[in-house]
């Protein structure tokens, strides 16, 4: 359970990214956050795992005040939250399995991670994560030889190898083609259903967001302007979120 | 300065419709006289003269001709100092490049977030980098006494400073995406550096290490001149006694060794990148 209460974030350069967010997200939910570029979607997502510190308000994750976490406790807390990025953020020059194993590094003593001494259990977790997203056969391929969709699956497997309760996805399909986007989103749905992992995704493409998420949160200039089931979204609400009507081709994603 | 520039300013170009374009002053108009002045002034101070160069230049060829043919019998005397020189380079390079790794991390803007700590490490390595390897060898000869140990320490410290600078610039340009991913998974910065940044850079790290090794063999060859061990000692001695065939043998062995190592190193480095 994630609880925002009057959360604001002002960057040192004076930009107000969040201007009073109040929000509850239940464990196991699938939430899409939509809004214009610069509306505060990325900031909102990154406050949850404290990659960005909030300015005021309270932010509870499973009843823990995350703003008070520091050092070791903060890193321990982050173990339970996975993150997936628009540009995948894989180490391109190394193999798929090593990329996935990197998610286990935080749990290891430093000398072991330095020498790359992953335990048998770590290897099993990594391989099973690759199997869950259906690219087990690419285990020993170099990451830069995979297609964009496959790379994002490796990134999802890396996150699963962390055994998280929450996955934060920052524009996970924005650099993928429509067909691949749907495959990757299906993986997220599967992970959400099978493992009861909360998925919170910033989405660029509205129709993909509506198709896969149970709940949609619309953000405009740092404020929530819509929060409800994806079935409740209509033209008027989209106009409210995006400041103007979306044309047919801006709703891309469906083949 | 402005007035001087005014003097050289080219005339405006007038188009057929009367519009004017002011061409920019070619900086060579004032850079060239300055360069000529500096060169002439320096030649005066250093008493550089082409006449002497031509008059005494033939001495160079006379010496070279005395080295030919080299005294092949002297080869057995060259082997041990040569091995000492090589080992100085191997050990010095190894120690230097390993120690440079944490120092490069501490000097990197993207990795080390503490401006104060980074400033201190950068200042230390900048100061050390101003000392040429010969000066370092002189200092270590006083501390550790003459011999290969002083030379090895000098090479290690020299490699350390150069490698630190070369490598922290590579760290600064590495892709930070995987690093962010690792931090978000709960790794600390050093773990994330090791697991996400270094895999991008190992090839370049080994390549730089080999490059330093090539450089250090040439460095090690002259360290004997300041008593820091290696092939330089016998080179100095034979030159002082003017036994040119022996000098020829030493130089021949040195050249062949350097060429072989450079070629091996270049082949490996090509594979690494």
């Amino acid at each position: 359970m994630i609880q925002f209460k009057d959360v604001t974030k002002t960057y040192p350069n004076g930009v107000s990214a969040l201007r009073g967010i109040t929000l509850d997200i239940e464990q196991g939910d699938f939430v899409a956050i939509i809004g214009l570029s610069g509306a505060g979607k990325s900031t909102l997502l990154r406050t949850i795992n404290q990659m960005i510190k909030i300015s005021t308000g309270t932010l509870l994750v499973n009843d823990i005040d995350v703003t008070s976490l520091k050092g070791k406790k903060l890193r321990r807390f982050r173990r339970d939250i996975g993150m997936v990025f628009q540009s995948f953020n894989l180490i391109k020059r190394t193999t798929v399995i090593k990329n996935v194993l990197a998610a286990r590094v935080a749990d290891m003593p430093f000398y072991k991670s330095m020498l790359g001494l992953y335990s048998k259990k770590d290897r099993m977790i990594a391989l099973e994560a690759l199997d869950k997203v259906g690219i087990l056969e690419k285990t020993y391929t170099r990451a830069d030889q995979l297609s964009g969709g496959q790379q994002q699956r490796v990134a999802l497997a890396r996150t699963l190898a962390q055994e998280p309760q929450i996955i934060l996805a920052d524009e996970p399909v924005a650099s993928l083609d429509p067909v691949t986007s749907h495959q990757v989103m299906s993986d997220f749905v599967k992970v959400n259903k099978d493992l009861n992992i909360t998925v919170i995704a910033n989405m660029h493409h509205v129709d993909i967001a509506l198709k896969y998420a149970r709940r949609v949160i619309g953000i405009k200039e740092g404020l929530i302007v819509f929060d409800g089931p994806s079935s409740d979204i209509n033209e008027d609400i989209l106009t409210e979120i995006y400041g103007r009507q979306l044309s047919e081709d801006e709703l891309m994603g469906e083949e | 300065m402005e007035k001087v520039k005014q003097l050289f300013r080219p005339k405006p170009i007038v188009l057929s419709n009367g519009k004017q374009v002011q061409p920019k002053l070619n900086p060579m108009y004032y850079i060239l006289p300055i360069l000529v002045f500096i060169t002439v002034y320096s030649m005066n101070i250093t008493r550089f003269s082409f006449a002497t160069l031509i008059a005494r230049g033939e001495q160079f060829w006379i010496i070279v001709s005395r080295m030919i043919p080299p005294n092949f019998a002297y080869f057995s005397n060259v082997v041990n100092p040569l091995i000492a020189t090589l080992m100085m380079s191997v050990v010095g390079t190894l120690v230097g490049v390993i120690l440079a790794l944490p120092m490069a991390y501490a000097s990197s803007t993207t990795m080390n977030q503490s401006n104060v700590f980074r400033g201190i490490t950068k200042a230390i390595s900048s100061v050390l980098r101003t000392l040429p390897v010969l000066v370092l060898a002189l200092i270590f000869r006083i501390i550790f006494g003459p011999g290969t140990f002083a030379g090895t320490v000098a090479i290690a410290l020299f490699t350390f400073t150069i490698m630190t600078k070369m490598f922290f610039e590579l760290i600064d340009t590495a892709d930070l995406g995987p690093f962010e991913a690792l931090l978000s998974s709960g790794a600390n910065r050093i773990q994330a550096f090791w697991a996400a940044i270094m895999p991008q850079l190992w090839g370049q790290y080994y390549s730089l290490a080999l490059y330093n090794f090539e450089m250090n063999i040439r460095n090690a060859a002259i360290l004997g001149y300041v008593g820091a061990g290696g092939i330089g000692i016998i080179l100095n001695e034979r030159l002082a006694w003017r036994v040119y065939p022996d000098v020829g043998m030493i130089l021949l062995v040195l050249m062949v060794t350097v060429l072989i190592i450079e070629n091996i190193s270049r082949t490996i480095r090509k594979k690494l990148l």
Side-chain angles (χ1 to χ4, degrees):
Chain A
M1 172 106 162
I2 302 164
Q3 294 163 290
F4 285 80
K5 277 176 207 150
D6 295 316
V7 169
T8 70
K9 171 66 190 182
T10 307
Y11 285 105
N13 62 9
V15 175
S16 279
L18 303 178
R19 299 189 298 153
I21 299 282
T22 299
L23 179 67
D24 286 354
I25 298 172
E26 296 290 339
Q27 181 63 38
D29 209 347
F30 196 128
V31 184
I33 302 172
I34 59 173
L36 286 171
S37 302
K41 300 190 300 276
S42 276
T43 305
L44 181 67
L45 208 67
R46 280 173 168 74
T47 58
I48 296 173
N49 61 356
Q50 289 290 288
M51 291 297 279
I52 291 176
K53 308 266 177 223
I54 63 173
S55 302
T56 63
T58 48
L59 175 51
L60 306 179
V61 176
N62 297 334
D63 296 320
I64 300 166
D65 177 8
V66 299
T67 55
S68 66
L69 295 174
K70 275 196 192 97
K72 227 176 190 163
K73 280 189 176 159
L74 175 60
R75 294 200 295 271
R76 180 69 207 84
F77 163 74
R78 282 182 183 157
R79 302 284 306 125
D80 295 334
I81 303 178
M83 197 160 188
V84 175
F85 307 83
Q86 176 181 350
S87 48
F88 324 133
N89 287 359
L90 297 181
I91 308 154
K92 296 190 184 67
R93 298 181 60 142
T94 189
T95 57
V96 164
I97 184 71
K98 281 200 177 149
N99 268 287
V100 179
L101 280 170
R104 307 297 304 167
V105 158
D107 262 348
M108 297 160 63
F110 183 64
Y111 79 93
K112 279 197 179 173
S113 64
M114 212 174 143
L115 300 170
L117 299 173
Y118 297 101
S119 68
K120 234 181 198 152
K121 186 185 150 226
D122 286 338
R123 282 173 202 279
M124 279 308 287
I125 291 172
L127 289 172
E128 268 162 18
L130 282 170
D131 192 32
K132 268 174 208 146
V133 295
I135 46 167
L136 190 59
E137 75 278 4
K138 299 284 183 194
T139 302
Y140 293 103
T141 310
R142 248 171 76 137
D144 53 8
Q145 287 168 357
L146 301 179
S147 69
Q150 290 170 328
Q151 288 194 34
Q152 193 59 295
R153 285 179 170 183
V154 174
L156 181 57
R158 173 174 65 188
T159 294
L160 290 177
Q162 231 175 289
E163 303 181 311
Q165 297 173 20
I166 302 166
I167 290 179
L168 308 173
D170 191 15
E171 306 279 8
V173 296
S175 27
L176 300 176
D177 63 71
V179 178
T180 319
S181 295
H182 284 290
Q183 287 166 353
V184 169
M185 287 313 291
S186 306
D187 285 337
F188 276 100
V189 170
K190 195 172 149 223
V191 162
N192 170 255
K193 275 190 186 143
D194 296 353
L195 306 169
N196 195 37
I197 295 174
T198 310
V199 175
I200 306 169
N202 287 343
M203 298 296 297
H204 205 63
H205 302 307
V206 176
D207 50 353
I208 297 183
L210 298 187
K211 185 170 174 191
Y212 293 97
R214 270 193 293 280
R215 176 178 169 192
V216 171
I217 293 169
I219 292 197
K220 188 184 178 186
E221 289 163 12
L223 289 169
I224 294 177
V225 292
F226 173 83
D227 183 356
S230 39
S231 50
D232 283 6
I233 293 261
N234 56 37
E235 290 281 299
D236 294 341
I237 291 165
L238 288 180
T239 307
E240 161 81 26
I241 296 170
Y242 287 98
R244 67 183 169 87
Q245 246 178 321
L246 293 183
S247 58
E248 197 56 41
D249 59 323
E250 280 170 318
L251 286 171
M252 74 158 273
E254 211 60 57
E255 282 301 281
Chain B
M1 196 66 198
E2 229 4 80
K3 276 202 171 157
V4 180
K5 276 189 178 175
Q6 209 72 52
L7 266 173
F8 292 107
R9 181 143 298 162
K11 287 204 177 83
I13 303 167
V14 184
L15 303 188
S16 57
N17 62 5
K19 285 185 182 169
Q20 284 198 352
V21 180
Q22 175 66 56
K24 276 203 137 188
L25 174 65
N26 185 339
M28 265 308 159
Y29 279 108
Y30 49 91
I31 290 177
L32 205 59
I34 293 172
L35 279 178
V36 169
F37 174 76
I38 291 175
T39 310
V40 171
Y41 188 71
S42 312
M43 278 168 78
N44 267 326
I45 288 190
T46 56
R47 299 177 188 217
F48 182 85
S49 114
F50 283 105
T52 319
L53 200 63
I54 292 162
R56 304 283 302 167
E58 102 193 278
Q59 283 293 319
F60 175 79
W61 298 110
I62 292 172
I63 292 176
V64 168
S65 69
R66 283 186 196 156
M67 292 180 193
I68 302 168
N71 178 8
F72 287 99
Y74 190 65
F75 180 74
S76 58
N77 301 54
V78 181
V79 174
N80 279 332
L82 177 73
I83 290 174
T85 298
L86 289 179
M87 289 303 116
M88 274 162 68
S89 324
V90 170
V91 177
T93 308
L94 212 59
V95 172
V97 297
I98 290 172
L99 292 181
L101 195 55
M103 192 67 165
Y105 174 89
S107 307
S108 154
T109 321
T110 49
M111 292 299 120
N112 187 348
Q113 290 185 308
S114 157
N115 288 333
V116 179
F117 181 32
R118 192 177 63 246
I120 293 169
T121 54
K122 275 192 167 174
I124 292 173
S125 54
S126 308
V127 170
L128 288 176
R129 213 166 39 242
T130 60
L131 299 175
V133 68
L134 269 177
V135 175
L136 291 173
L138 274 171
I139 295 170
F140 288 124
R141 194 191 57 174
I142 296 167
I143 299 174
F144 301 115
T148 46
F149 184 72
T152 309
V153 176
I155 289 176
L157 186 59
F158 181 72
T159 309
F160 168 73
T161 60
I162 303 272
M163 187 72 179
T164 299
K165 179 165 169 64
M166 286 171 152
F167 198 59
F168 94 72
E169 283 167 354
L170 281 179
I171 296 175
D172 276 349
T173 54
D175 178 13
L176 286 178
F179 183 73
E180 188 195 7
L182 265 273
L183 287 186
S184 80
S185 81
N188 65 35
R189 295 183 72 83
I190 293 176
Q191 285 173 322
F193 166 74
W194 196 261
I197 302 289
M198 280 315 289
Q200 302 175 46
L201 301 178
W202 278 123
Q204 291 167 84
Y205 177 79
Y206 294 135
S207 168
L208 282 181
L210 278 172
Y211 176 72
N212 272 285
F213 177 61
E214 283 175 39
M215 234 174 13
N216 284 339
I217 288 191
R218 285 184 292 257
N219 280 335
I222 52 166
L223 286 185
Y225 266 81
V226 295
I231 206 167
I233 292 179
I234 53 169
L235 185 60
N236 193 12
E237 179 199 284
R238 295 284 114 178
L239 265 176
W241 291 359
R242 308 199 174 192
V243 193
Y244 292 117
D246 289 0
V247 173
M249 190 61 220
I250 297 170
L251 290 183
L252 181 68
V253 168
L254 191 60
M255 276 194 270
V256 170
T257 312
V258 169
L259 275 177
I260 290 173
I261 287 173
E262 272 188 3
N263 275 305
I264 295 174
S265 160
R266 205 164 303 150
T267 315
I268 300 175
R269 287 205 285 140
K270 243 182 227 159
K271 290 246 163 77
L272 283 172
L273 295 181

